[in-house]
Amino acid sequence: MSKQSKDSLTNVPKNEIWINNLEYFNHSNFENMDINEVASLILDTYKTYNGRQFLNEDDLNFLLPSDKLEIERSTLSHVLLRHRWNGNFCSPIKERLNTSGTTMLDVGCGPGLWAIDMGLNHPSSSIIAIDIDPSKFPPNDQCPPNVCFLTCNAVHGIPFPPNTFDFVNISLMWSAFSEAQWILLIKDLIRVLKYDGWIEFTEPDPALRNGGKNLTWLLESFANACRDVGGVNIRIYEKIPTYIRAMDELEDLNCMSVNYPVGEWYGCFGKYSLDNLERLLKAAVYLPKYIGISNEQFNNLLKDYLKEANETKSFIYIYKYFAKKVSKKAPII
């Protein structure tokens, strides 16, 4: 890749943010809100729409709720992902993780299942897990002693010095950042990554393979709504390898994928992955208005559409990308 091409990808203004606030639907629905919803919008850290709770952050693109139902869904996602990949990571760093003093960073940790798993499996390492919403963090008595949770909005920067972590993990953050924010975030994660350390991304391709026309249309509408409402490209999996290749500090890029069956046609795993998809689409509470139907109509359509996944034996792909930070070399004199 030419230097000019790399510069076009990596030179993003640091002050570029998206002012989201779910303005797309908040104003037009304001007169229908009850007093608790209005108070939530004005006074609280959270705002409520269609019975779901969202973080009330001006520069936040994240278009999924921040409530108990979403914690349950993200927990299910972690379990399914770990099973499908037969583990929590693919980077060639297992030996180092079992060495005393090794440090890991988990970005957008949610309820912290990945960090807890890694803490239990690698007790010699220390794991710091960050997320913008501390209400998702597990109680201290449910965490290994080598795992720490920290409230952090990654859009504002990662609050650690350069060369801090041996391993950085970022998983299923497809709905969280604009493309410009992804570039800035990756640059900052490289900054805090140690030389010879590894960074790993796990993101889905939301396009349904063998999908019926109705469910495929609904998922396309979901992707368009994420783009139009919050400026988020949920197909970010396509961009990440390009971003990595544009970063001179990274080398040894590896790209891997697994298929992810959706529907009871694939047994227990497929049943739970279909349940996860249904929970995800129901969490997109802005979607019914975006496609111009009522919530009741949407739920009825969703129930019918999900049947297609079993009939057509649908699946998606999940991608992993991992790369190593280039060793610091002594200057040639």
Side-chain angles (χ1 to χ4, degrees):
M1 183 180 293
S2 68
K3 185 178 187 304
Q4 183 178 4
S5 297
K6 289 183 177 181
D7 290 344
S8 68
L9 285 170
T10 58
N11 291 338
V12 178
K14 288 187 177 297
N15 61 350
E16 180 169 333
I17 60 173
W18 279 87
I19 305 301
N20 179 27
N21 259 349
L22 299 178
E23 297 290 348
Y24 180 82
F25 47 73
N26 273 338
H27 292 325
S28 60
N29 195 55
F30 189 81
E31 66 273 11
N32 298 321
M33 293 180 179
D34 63 28
I35 187 63
N36 291 327
E37 290 178 312
V38 173
S40 176
L41 282 172
I42 297 174
L43 300 175
D44 295 342
T45 305
Y46 302 94
K47 51 192 170 186
T48 303
Y49 182 75
N50 274 1
R52 299 298 298 269
Q53 179 177 277
F54 292 80
L55 275 175
N56 193 18
E57 290 276 345
D58 283 345
D59 59 353
L60 186 67
N61 298 77
F62 198 61
L63 290 176
L64 294 178
S66 188
D67 56 17
K68 182 179 179 181
L69 288 175
E70 178 57 19
I71 290 176
E72 292 174 354
R73 191 200 66 79
S74 61
T75 299
L76 176 59
S77 289
H78 168 75
V79 173
L80 292 171
L81 207 62
R82 181 182 60 191
H83 173 78
R84 202 65 185 152
W85 283 101
N86 195 30
N88 286 310
F89 64 94
C90 291
S91 299
I93 197 170
K94 184 175 181 180
E95 184 176 345
R96 193 188 308 185
L97 297 183
N98 294 323
T99 303
S100 179
T102 299
T103 54
M104 290 183 260
L105 176 68
D106 184 25
V107 182
C109 65
L113 272 296
W114 187 92
I116 291 173
D117 273 358
M118 294 295 282
L120 292 172
N121 292 333
H122 306 283
S124 298
S125 295
S126 297
I127 301 100
I128 294 178
I130 64 174
D131 197 280
I132 192 174
D133 184 7
S135 70
K136 297 178 181 178
F137 296 164
N140 289 334
D141 60 1
Q142 295 181 14
C143 298
N146 57 333
V147 176
C148 172
F149 290 90
L150 177 67
T151 305
C152 172
N153 185 346
V155 171
H156 296 163
I158 307 300
F160 293 97
N163 309 313
T164 299
F165 298 99
D166 297 275
F167 184 43
V168 173
N169 175 70
I170 180 166
S171 177
L172 301 183
M173 297 299 286
W174 51 267
S175 66
F177 310 115
S178 69
E179 291 185 28
Q181 289 171 336
W182 268 104
I183 295 171
L184 293 176
L185 175 61
I186 292 172
K187 292 174 73 173
D188 207 31
L189 293 177
I190 294 170
R191 178 186 63 83
V192 301
L193 184 64
K194 290 180 181 179
Y195 297 109
D196 292 325
W198 288 82
I199 183 170
E200 182 165 319
F201 303 81
T202 307
E203 298 296 340
D205 173 3
L208 200 64
R209 268 65 172 186
N210 295 344
K213 64 178 182 179
N214 292 318
L215 185 53
T216 299
W217 170 80
L218 185 60
L219 289 171
E220 282 293 321
S221 299
F222 174 55
N224 293 337
C226 290
R227 178 198 64 210
D228 296 339
V229 176
V232 170
N233 175 13
I234 68 171
R235 298 183 178 91
I236 197 64
Y237 83 96
E238 296 175 323
K239 302 282 187 176
I240 290 175
T242 304
Y243 297 157
I244 292 175
R245 291 186 181 102
M247 306 289 177
D248 291 333
E249 299 94 331
L250 294 180
E251 64 180 9
D252 294 343
L253 171 62
N254 292 261
C255 304
M256 303 176 66
S257 67
V258 294
N259 63 357
Y260 190 92
V262 179
E264 295 181 3
W265 66 271
Y266 195 76
C268 185
F269 180 93
K271 177 180 182 296
Y272 283 115
S273 64
L274 184 66
D275 178 51
N276 190 36
L277 176 61
E278 181 177 10
R279 289 171 182 244
L280 173 65
L281 291 171
K282 284 184 175 180
V285 292
Y286 43 84
L287 190 52
K289 179 177 178 180
Y290 182 84
I291 60 180
I293 62 177
S294 69
N295 292 332
E296 183 179 1
Q297 289 173 315
F298 175 78
N299 288 330
N300 289 335
L301 284 176
L302 182 59
K303 185 177 180 180
D304 291 337
Y305 290 177
L306 290 175
K307 292 179 182 178
E308 294 181 348
N310 285 318
E311 296 168 358
T312 60
K313 296 186 177 180
S314 300
F315 65 96
I316 64 172
Y317 282 108
I318 307 287
Y319 287 85
K320 277 187 179 288
Y321 307 108
F322 47 99
K324 183 174 69 172
K325 186 173 179 178
V326 178
S327 299
K328 188 175 183 180
K329 299 179 176 65
I332 299 175
I333 301 176

